[in-house]
Amino acid sequence: MRMPIIGGNWKMNRGSPSSAITMLRVLKRLVKNIHNVEIVIAPPFTALFSVIQYLKKTVIRVGAQNVYFEDSGAFTGEISPKFLKEIGCEYVILGHSERRNIFLESDEVINKKIKKSLSYGLRPIVCIGEHLEDREAGNTERVIEKQLEYTFKDLNKKDMMNIVIAYEPIWAIGTGKTATPEQAEEIHRFIRNYLGEKYDNDLKTGIRIQYGGSINPSNAEALFQKENIDGGLVGGASLEAESLYEIIKSAERS
Ligand code: PGA
């Protein structure tokens, strides 16, 4: 049995420690009796340390939204996995379509970030997903397969076991347009089968694959009930404690 995982990707929102903790104070109380769902909050860097300190003795884990692939040095503006580890960060979101599209990160760069993060014991949540044009042209599986091949290049089974994949169709992110549970399940199954062939059955059945893209309290449950969907990466609806809690409960029920 795979434990579902709900990630709250705050993106460039709630960046001050006080704004982050105002929300988390409520969430912390709400999730007290949640046991079968892993919860990860990824605030902006400016709130990261305070959030880690605040959530120390709770079940809520903390992730960063980005990292660079070097340990230290002349890389103005960048943060290393070593720094994240040192402040107690456990997860890092990598390969998000906003990083790929706005900041032009390639599969190769993402691959380097994954390897460096893993070497420090951070757990990458790695996003993949197709553009609307890819889907309309019937190329979704081809695009996903290419991303899987290059993003996870030269990673062994042990590495992969420490990774969570987030399937996020780009046309569904922040648009209010969710993939239907059937559309999402089809790609999740495809990803699982691909990994089963590349690695083995253990990884195929063990790796967690989240869905992401306009998840909200009313569409979450139907998505999470699908066999191959292990929770979700939530953007907009993760900014308020009540809506995130509703989504977490849907994952617990599924
Ligand atoms: P959204 O974002 O839930 O606001 O669509 C999801 C994501 O980008 O991870």
Side-chain angles (χ1 to χ4, degrees):
M1 271 302 279
R2 297 179 295 267
M3 161 118 56
I5 173 167
I6 299 294
N9 175 11
W10 284 1
K11 309 192 181 186
M12 204 166 74
N13 300 293
R14 289 200 178 274
S16 73
S18 66
S19 162
I21 286 164
T22 301
M23 182 281 191
L24 292 170
R25 191 172 294 126
V26 183
L27 186 68
K28 197 166 106 172
R29 180 171 45 76
L30 291 172
V31 301
K32 265 215 170 98
N33 296 319
I34 298 280
H35 301 293
N36 300 319
V37 180
E38 191 171 357
I39 307 164
V40 182
I41 295 291
F45 280 122
T46 43
L48 193 57
F49 182 67
S50 311
V51 166
I52 290 169
Q53 295 294 314
Y54 185 72
L55 295 176
K56 240 179 194 162
K57 291 197 179 94
T58 73
V59 296
I60 308 172
R61 315 257 66 92
V62 184
Q65 296 178 19
N66 186 26
V67 80
Y68 194 55
F69 54 75
E70 296 287 350
D71 293 332
S72 61
F75 304 102
T76 303
E78 294 298 322
I79 301 282
S80 109
K82 184 166 178 276
F83 302 167
L84 292 180
K85 195 65 192 173
E86 280 166 357
I87 63 163
C89 185
E90 291 181 72
Y91 280 87
V92 58
I93 298 173
L94 294 173
H96 192 281
S97 61
E98 285 149 19
R99 299 295 318 172
R100 292 175 187 264
N101 297 331
I102 306 171
F103 303 100
L104 308 181
E105 285 187 15
S106 62
D107 286 334
E108 193 190 349
V109 163
I110 297 159
N111 179 258
K112 286 187 187 173
K113 291 184 173 191
I114 295 172
K115 287 177 183 157
K116 199 51 139 183
S117 298
L118 286 169
S119 78
Y120 279 100
L122 290 167
R123 304 180 128 228
I125 296 175
V126 182
C127 308
I128 53 173
E130 81 286 3
H131 287 275
L132 185 59
E133 307 86 78
D134 301 323
R135 179 161 283 269
E136 285 176 348
N139 287 336
T140 302
E141 292 187 355
R142 198 168 321 145
V143 169
I144 297 293
E145 188 168 332
K146 201 167 150 276
Q147 287 176 349
L148 289 169
E149 183 181 346
Y150 292 104
T151 305
F152 299 126
K153 192 159 186 270
D154 300 328
L155 295 179
N156 61 31
K157 178 181 162 187
K158 189 167 157 274
D159 294 332
M160 293 302 292
M161 283 293 200
N162 285 312
I163 286 174
V164 174
I165 296 180
Y167 167 59
E168 301 205 308
I170 295 163
W171 47 271
I173 297 177
T175 57
K177 244 193 243 172
T178 352
T180 64
E182 292 68 32
Q183 282 174 321
E185 170 68 3
E186 192 185 347
I187 303 303
H188 281 237
R189 195 182 315 112
F190 175 79
I191 295 169
R192 223 177 267 295
N193 287 338
Y194 173 93
L195 295 173
E197 271 171 39
K198 186 168 170 192
Y199 296 91
D200 59 15
N201 200 49
D202 231 26
L203 183 74
K204 176 182 171 180
T205 52
I207 194 166
R208 289 181 295 175
I209 310 176
Q210 302 175 292
Y211 168 80
S214 297
I215 296 183
N216 61 44
S218 30
N219 61 26
E221 189 147 352
L223 286 157
F224 301 160
Q225 273 170 354
K226 291 290 177 192
E227 191 186 330
N228 289 293
I229 301 183
D230 309 312
L233 187 57
V234 187
S238 75
L239 290 170
E240 299 301 331
E242 288 77 7
S243 55
L244 187 59
Y245 176 59
E246 289 304 317
I247 294 169
I248 292 166
K249 276 201 301 187
S250 303
E252 194 174 48
R253 280 194 295 268
S254 67

